Amino acid sequence: MKSSEMQSKSKHILELIKYDLTTFFYEDDYEEVYSEEILDTFLIDYKKVLPQKEFGIFDTVVFRVFTEKSNLTGTNHINVILHSEDKEIPTDNTKLLLQKLEELYGPDDNSRSLESDEEKQSLIDGNVVRMWTLDAEHNVYSVRFNYVKGEGAQLQIMFYTNLLKSLGLL
């Protein structure tokens, strides 16, 4: 492999996403679309329509912010959800996204990859669930992709704030 190819290989999910997800922290054009109080925690969803589709699939982003009443001075836990308003996604787009995720992280937590016949069939059937749990210097975060034909697709970065901490961005 050439050194230019090695340098261009992505190291984390944020390098695959064109939209700068950190704008959530300094732009005010995110719309609050849902809130709920669960025991000692406030949950608030903020949504924004993306300027262009990510991976040819996702057209909105939702930031789910969790705030513990007893920890108001600490860092809030945030999940990021890229969502598709389209209920059916072209197989080629789904396959390309999974290939990129596998190049980045390898097989998922259940050792599934596009190499297996079962996963190839799931892709054709439009029923794909994959998850990668990652430990970046003890800042654990997860990347999860869900697609059910007729229901749409989501790409989630769970514990997004941990990913940002591991990258020195928070």
Side-chain angles (χ1 to χ4, degrees), residues 87-91 94-95 98 108 112-114 116-131 145-154:
K87 301 301 179 199
E88 294 195 20
I89 310 300
T91 302
T94 305
K95 183 177 181 181
L98 289 173
D108 75 358
R112 292 181 296 212
S113 76
L114 289 173
S116 77
D117 291 337
E118 184 179 330
E119 282 304 299
K120 289 176 186 173
Q121 190 59 50
S122 293
L123 188 63
I124 292 166
D125 294 343
N127 188 12
V128 181
V129 178
R130 303 286 293 282
M131 183 165 152
F145 175 71
N146 294 313
Y147 172 54
V148 177
K149 194 175 196 174
E151 295 180 21
Q154 290 187 341

Side-chain angles (χ1 to χ4, degrees), residues 3-20:
S3 63
S4 62
E5 289 175 3
M6 288 177 20
Q7 289 176 348
S8 66
K9 185 177 182 216
S10 297
K11 295 179 181 132
H12 53 80
I13 186 73
L14 299 182
E15 291 181 351
L16 296 178
I17 298 170
K18 292 177 183 146
Y19 182 73
D20 181 2

Side-chain angles (χ1 to χ4, degrees), residues 67-111:
T67 306
E68 292 180 38
K69 294 179 196 175
S70 60
N71 185 20
L72 294 177
T73 60
T75 303
N76 295 331
H77 163 66
I78 300 174
N79 289 345
V80 175
I81 305 161
L82 295 173
H83 178 76
S84 170
E85 296 294 326
D86 295 333
K87 301 301 179 199
E88 294 195 20
I89 310 300
T91 302
D92 289 345
N93 292 9
T94 305
K95 183 177 181 181
L96 183 61
L97 172 59
L98 289 173
Q99 286 171 336
K100 288 180 179 188
L101 291 171
E102 287 181 15
E103 285 173 14
L104 186 59
Y105 299 125
D108 75 358
D109 290 356
N110 294 310
S111 301

